[in-house]
Amino acid sequence: MPVLPRTLVSRKRLLERLTDSTTGPLTLITGPAGAGKTALTASWANEGPAPGPVVWLNVRDDDNAPGVFWSYVLGAFRFHRVPLPDGIGSPVLADDVDRSLLVRLSSAVAQLHRPVVLVLDGLERVTARDVASGLDFVLGHSGPQLRLVLISRVDPLLPLHRYRAEDRISEIRGAELAFTSHEAAKLLRRHGLSLSEESVGALTGRTEGWAAGLRLCALAMQRADDPDRFARSFTGSQHVVTDYLLAEVLDALPPATQNLLLRTSILERIHPQLANVLTGRDDAEWILAHLARANAFVEVTGDPPWCRCHPLFSSVLRAHLRSRLPGLEPRLHRLAARWLADNGRLTEGLEHATATGDWAYAATLLIDHLAVGRLLTGPDTHRLERLFSGMPTTFPGAAPALVAAACALARHNAPAGWAQLDRAQAHLGGAAAAPSLGTRLAHTLLLLLAGGEEHGSTACATAESLAHRTRDLMAEVAQPCLEQHPEIEALRRYGRTGALFEAGRLGEAHDALEHALAACTTEVTRTVRYECLGRLALIESVRGELRRAQAHAREGLEAAEEYGIPHHRRTGVCHLALAAVAFDRSDLQSARHHLDLAADVSGMAHDPVCAAETAVLRARLELAYGNIQAALAVVDTAGGAHAEQSALRLAETRSAIHLARGDPAAAIGALRDTGGMPAYAVSLAAAHLAAGDTERAARLLAGLGQFDRAGVTDHVRILLLRAQAAVLDKDFATAEGLLARALDAARPEQFRRPFTEAGPWLRHLLARRPDLGVTHSWLTERLADAGTPGSAGDDSLSVPAEALSPRERDVLRCAAHMMSTEEIAAELYVSVNTVKTHLKSIYRKLSVSRRSEAVRRARERKLL
């Protein structure tokens, strides 16, 4: 039995496994060289939990002959003082053993008073089937008194499948032998080293818990000036590890196997066919399978026939490749890139294509495989962006320029994207040969996504033309290839929406976004889905569809978290939409919170529409708190927006600020012609009404027809302006009817802001109709930011609620104690139907629909 080193770490979890497993007939411990198999078993034998005496035999190469092997087994029994009868005898011939001797040995072991544990260490050296069959025979005929422990780098020739089927074997494999970070820290302390948790974790991860590697590193760190730095920067190239792996593993392999390992060391995962390509041979499958069986630091992954080398072994092999075969590595990377790309593993292929800085080849590979969209959407976008992050932005060629453009657009940097597309166009125009289909498709698609300097109807027409050209090019692609890239169609549909959105054609943009969202059905389109949800939410918030906006924005934020979209790839639009929803519901604190979160995303600065919408919300927030000059400064700072939607929203906001400061003329001057847009006409009508020009305001409102193009926001504002005009004409009946319609339209969305901004006339009108205040208490209850002059507190429309009867208060008190309807009935000595009637009345008076809301509302109003 080997002598245990003083630095041995007692690993309780594995010792307990061994103790449990030796209650059965066979325990198999396998793992690569240096995995700690022998040390574990010797530690277990020395600590005394074995069920009986331990007989230990270190198997050597010359023990492969049956007679020699069994002679040493019998000698081991005698050496460890396990009594066997003298009549058993010994083998006569080295190459053979008499079956009767094995019968006598089995019988003698079966008659022992205590079980005996026979440990055979290094059984991989025994390749003779006669030895294996003899072991199987003795184990099967010794009864429960023989407990066999086999230590080997490979599975022995025993019929393991039968033992597994009969539940007569326990196995401890290499993965279980790996040291945990906690065990590695104990090992390092045994060597007099005290490292930080971060350093221990880095070293354990790099070695993958390989026992010999950790011990060799510990020995090296004892001589290092800075052990922590050694651990964090350890790469496996240190000579202590290199020497061990070369001597114990690589040098023991045949030349053909060594050549295969050297050439495939550039791969993270090895496929037999790819290995054949790199070696020019056709026997890689057999060699790799043999290495995996031999635990020679090669293992089959969960996706056979793919396998992998231990990272430390790979790093040693790569260093050996560069010294033994200099200049070969770039060629191997290119061969691997082509094979991987052609076999559906493009990202892995690009990792090899970019490894040597061959940017022209890498970019061409991406473009020709129609995968430029993968830089914009999908689970590999971050990896691809990282791969091309080292490519110079001025690297010549159309393909590199297109890749650089896609990277810029992925970061929401449209100006940089346009510059790269101009470079690509220059290269394409000067090329002697016609560009490939992949190049033309990538160029057209990226032009569509980047937009351009045109605005309004011209931009929409250009986008529509580019979308048609993209579809025509897609028709030239083979259908199976197109089916592998659903992101192209999703991006094509999404690309149409930008121009519509900027042109203020919100209804068409909304429909186009829903059409794009319908194409986002796979994993590779998930970033497009996130973008669509944010844009839908923003449009819906502008149109006053607050519930849908909130749902889409929250869904978008959840998608960003679920998909792991990094911060620099996010747009902030979802938070911007939630800020708009909160503002329109007069929750100013939440509006400011979400607005700050939106502004924290770098992509917002590159989106003119979102930048303008951010300015609009910030200005309106300042206005809500009474800071008129600050609000005007926000709008003035954001000036110069060219997109029609942006210009419209900023002009409306500037007009609202002038109205708040009592300057209707300036409010009118801030608005030019209506451009046929309902929101613009509504703002202009409000300004004329404030100026006393009711006739002009009426004409503007009459031109809006039956609101066929107006959203909830414009619908409510139009009704309120007509109600205001009716109040000015002393037509209170008409005004009350219009107000009731406006409240009904706003109630589903809890749309408060148009009412809180309407002015004193609305308070007087509500005072004439207190029933409206009771029915619409969602509006008249005190708002979230109440209390500060000039804030939402002054926006509250305090209308007394209809009083609750004493019995209704009793029912509400019971409901507050979470009592059921039946329990309330029993408590108050009334029928269940009576309780239900009281609850319905309470819901009506408090303008709620659920018991929990009634209790909350009653507490807010001090009714409980």
Side-chain angles (χ1 to χ4, degrees):
M1 193 179 300
V3 177
L4 297 174
R6 63 177 179 81
T7 56
L8 180 78
V9 173
S10 179
R11 300 203 277 169
K12 184 179 178 181
R13 62 183 177 93
L14 293 175
L15 294 175
E16 291 176 350
R17 279 287 311 276
L18 260 175
T19 300
D20 293 342
S21 66
T22 51
T23 60
L26 178 60
T27 301
L28 177 63
I29 305 174
T30 58
K37 306 180 294 296
T38 299
L40 169 68
T41 311
S43 170
W44 172 80
N46 274 277
E47 291 190 13
V54 177
V55 175
W56 190 290
L57 175 62
N58 294 306
V59 181
R60 299 289 178 256
D61 291 333
D62 54 2
D63 296 346
N64 201 36
V68 176
F69 175 81
W70 287 108
S71 294
Y72 278 113
V73 170
L74 292 169
F77 270 87
R78 289 190 293 272
F79 179 82
H80 290 281
R81 294 185 173 83
V82 176
L84 293 176
D86 295 336
I88 290 179
S90 297
V92 178
L93 301 174
D95 295 332
D96 194 19
V97 63
D98 189 359
R99 178 55 65 97
S100 63
L101 184 146
L102 299 183
V103 172
R104 291 192 295 274
L105 175 60
S106 301
S107 177
V109 172
Q111 295 177 45
L112 292 173
H113 298 297
R114 296 177 62 197
V116 61
V117 179
L118 175 58
V119 179
L120 299 177
D121 187 10
L123 197 63
E124 71 275 358
R125 298 181 176 93
V126 175
T127 58
R129 292 193 173 274
D130 290 345
V131 174
S133 63
L135 273 175
D136 184 41
F137 177 85
V138 171
L139 186 60
H141 291 80
S142 298
Q145 298 303 84
L146 180 61
R147 315 291 169 81
L148 187 59
V149 178
L150 304 181
I151 303 174
S152 178
R153 293 185 185 180
V154 301
D155 284 352
L157 296 175
L158 293 170
L160 298 180
H161 62 281
R162 194 181 73 220
Y163 285 97
R164 291 172 182 138
E166 296 170 357
D167 196 22
R168 298 176 62 220
I169 183 173
S170 295
E171 300 178 70
I172 300 177
R173 296 286 180 174
E176 297 171 271
L177 292 169
F179 272 61
T180 64
S181 292
H182 176 68
E183 292 167 345
K186 289 174 64 177
L187 177 65
L188 294 171
R189 284 197 295 271
R190 290 293 178 89
H191 286 79
L193 298 164
S194 181
L195 272 65
S196 67
E197 184 177 341
E198 178 189 0
S199 298
V200 174
L203 188 61
T204 307
R206 190 71 184 93
T207 59
E208 294 191 350
W210 177 42
L214 287 169
R215 176 166 166 74
L216 291 169
C217 287
L219 294 173
M221 281 189 284
Q222 287 178 331
R223 301 188 298 271
D225 295 333
D226 186 349
D228 268 295
R229 182 179 179 185
F230 179 101
R232 290 193 299 270
S233 62
F234 175 70
T235 63
S237 60
Q238 282 79 357
H239 68 88
V240 290
V241 176
T242 300
D243 293 346
Y244 182 92
L245 289 170
L246 291 177
E248 292 290 325
V249 183
L250 188 63
D251 291 346
L253 298 172
T257 304
Q258 292 187 32
N259 184 57
L260 180 141
L261 286 173
L262 289 173
R263 288 172 175 262
T264 57
S265 64
I266 65 165
L267 306 172
E268 285 190 10
R269 299 198 309 156
I270 309 168
H271 191 282
Q273 293 179 12
L274 176 54
N276 285 334
V277 170
L278 298 181
T279 60
R281 300 169 60 92
D282 59 3
D283 55 357
E285 185 172 7
W286 181 88
I287 293 175
L288 291 169
H290 175 74
L291 289 170
R293 286 195 301 271
N295 275 320
F297 288 89
V298 174
E299 63 179 2
V300 177
T301 65
D303 183 22
W306 290 88
C307 55
R308 66 184 284 271
C309 265
H310 191 287
L312 288 183
F313 194 26
S314 288
S315 65
V316 170
L317 290 169
R318 282 194 295 274
H320 215 51
L321 170 68
R322 291 165 190 148
S323 64
R324 186 185 292 186
L325 300 168
L328 180 61
E329 189 174 357
R331 179 172 172 270
L332 294 175
H333 275 300
R334 179 172 281 223
L335 288 172
R338 175 58 64 184
W339 188 91
L340 289 164
D342 290 344
N343 284 272
R345 296 180 181 271
L346 179 63
T347 302
E348 294 175 53
L350 288 168
E351 287 176 341
H352 289 280
T354 58
T356 56
D358 191 350
W359 302 114
Y361 176 70
T364 301
L365 195 64
L366 180 76
I367 297 296
D368 286 349
H369 279 78
L370 308 182
V372 72
R374 299 290 173 92
L375 282 164
L376 298 157
T377 180
D380 290 337
T381 54
H382 324 318
R383 287 174 67 188
L384 291 172
E385 183 183 24
R386 190 166 56 249
L387 290 177
F388 286 100
S389 61
M391 183 177 72
T393 55
T394 57
F395 195 87
L402 290 172
V403 169
C407 290
L409 294 178
R411 295 190 296 270
H412 307 288
N413 190 347
W418 296 333
Q420 292 295 341
L421 287 170
D422 288 342
R423 286 185 58 240
Q425 182 63 58
H427 285 291
L428 291 173
S436 67
L437 175 59
T439 301
R440 288 182 286 135
L441 179 56
H443 188 226
T444 305
L445 180 62
L446 293 175
L447 283 173
L448 172 63
L449 293 168
E453 295 183 355
E454 303 99 340
H455 299 287
S457 58
T458 304
C460 293
T462 300
E464 200 64 36
S465 173
L466 287 169
H468 284 302
R469 282 169 54 191
T470 303
R471 186 177 59 191
D472 292 342
L473 289 168
M474 290 169 63
E476 299 182 33
V477 178
Q479 190 61 30
C481 182
L482 201 58
E483 290 173 355
Q484 294 176 7
H485 293 283
E487 74 277 4
I488 298 177
E489 175 61 13
L491 288 167
R492 186 189 75 83
R493 295 186 186 185
Y494 177 73
R496 293 181 56 245
T497 66
L500 293 170
F501 189 84
E502 291 192 5
R505 292 158 63 172
L506 300 187
E508 296 175 62
H510 189 277
D511 293 343
L513 283 165
E514 289 192 325
H515 186 55
L517 194 60
C520 300
T521 57
T522 65
E523 189 181 34
V524 296
T525 58
R526 60 194 195 181
T527 309
V528 184
R529 179 173 177 268
Y530 161 70
E531 299 272 1
C532 287
L533 288 169
R535 292 285 180 169
L536 279 172
L538 187 58
I539 289 175
E540 288 158 352
S541 69
V542 171
R543 295 171 62 176
E545 298 165 5
L546 305 186
R547 289 181 300 172
R548 295 184 64 186
Q550 187 176 47
H552 279 138
R554 287 177 175 171
E555 189 179 355
L557 292 175
E558 289 171 4
E561 292 298 323
E562 179 187 350
Y563 302 155
I565 298 174
H567 191 265
H568 73 278
R569 286 288 190 109
R570 301 189 185 186
T571 63
V573 179
C574 292
H575 282 298
L576 187 58
L578 288 174
V581 170
F583 179 80
D584 281 337
R585 288 176 173 168
S586 290
D587 183 357
L588 304 189
Q589 185 175 359
S590 293
R592 189 176 293 280
H593 170 69
H594 284 291
L595 199 55
D596 290 341
L597 290 175
D600 190 44
V601 180
S602 59
M604 293 289 288
H606 297 296
D607 189 324
V609 173
C610 291
E613 195 64 31
T614 300
V616 165
L617 277 171
R618 287 211 180 278
R620 287 185 174 274
L621 274 169
E622 295 291 351
L623 190 60
Y625 283 108
N627 304 324
I628 293 178
Q629 291 303 319
L632 198 57
V634 171
V635 176
D636 289 340
T637 303
H642 297 293
E644 291 187 29
Q645 173 66 14
S646 303
L648 164 67
R649 295 286 288 167
L650 288 168
E652 285 183 72
T653 305
R654 184 176 284 105
S655 178
I657 296 170
H658 288 308
L659 282 181
R661 67 191 299 196
D663 190 349
I668 294 171
L671 301 168
R672 297 183 296 274
D673 61 84
T674 65
M677 298 179 182
Y680 212 82
V682 172
S683 295
L684 192 57
H688 282 291
L689 196 60
D693 191 350
T694 55
E695 184 178 346
R696 174 63 175 158
R699 284 201 304 272
L700 285 167
L701 294 174
L704 295 173
Q706 296 300 314
F707 329 120
D708 55 336
R709 292 194 300 157
V712 176
T713 301
D714 296 329
H715 188 166
V716 171
R717 291 179 67 200
I718 290 168
L719 289 169
L720 286 177
L721 287 174
R722 287 181 172 172
Q724 183 182 1
V727 168
L728 292 174
D729 290 340
K730 308 298 184 181
D731 187 355
F732 294 107
T734 299
E736 291 168 7
L738 289 167
L739 175 59
R741 289 170 60 190
L743 288 166
D744 288 340
R747 178 175 180 169
E749 308 293 346
Q750 302 286 289
F751 189 26
R752 296 188 180 95
R753 182 51 48 180
F755 299 91
T756 59
E757 292 178 344
W761 69 268
L762 183 61
R763 298 177 187 275
H764 297 310
L765 197 58
L766 281 171
R768 292 174 56 91
R769 289 285 304 274
D771 59 306
L772 290 177
V774 172
T775 305
H776 295 281
S777 59
W778 59 271
L779 172 68
T780 57
E781 66 182 354
R782 183 156 293 275
L783 304 178
D785 294 326
T788 304
S791 75
D794 291 335
D795 293 333
S796 313
L797 300 174
S798 301
V799 178
E802 186 176 348
L804 299 180
S805 69
R807 180 57 79 181
E808 287 169 350
R809 287 175 178 265
D810 291 338
V811 170
L812 197 55
R813 289 191 192 96
C814 292
H817 287 91
M818 306 297 289
M819 297 172 66
S820 67
T821 305
E822 291 76 12
E823 290 170 336
I824 296 173
E827 176 74 15
L828 300 179
Y829 300 100
V830 296
S831 69
V832 171
N833 286 336
T834 300
V835 173
K836 290 180 178 179
T837 300
H838 285 315
L839 285 171
K840 288 180 181 178
S841 178
I842 291 168
Y843 295 164
R844 178 182 61 79
K845 291 180 178 181
L846 296 181
S847 189
V848 296
S849 58
R850 292 194 300 271
R851 187 179 299 191
S852 60
E853 291 178 349
V855 171
R856 178 180 61 80
R857 187 68 54 79
R859 283 174 174 155
E860 290 173 352
R861 296 185 176 182
K862 311 299 183 184
L863 300 178
L864 288 176

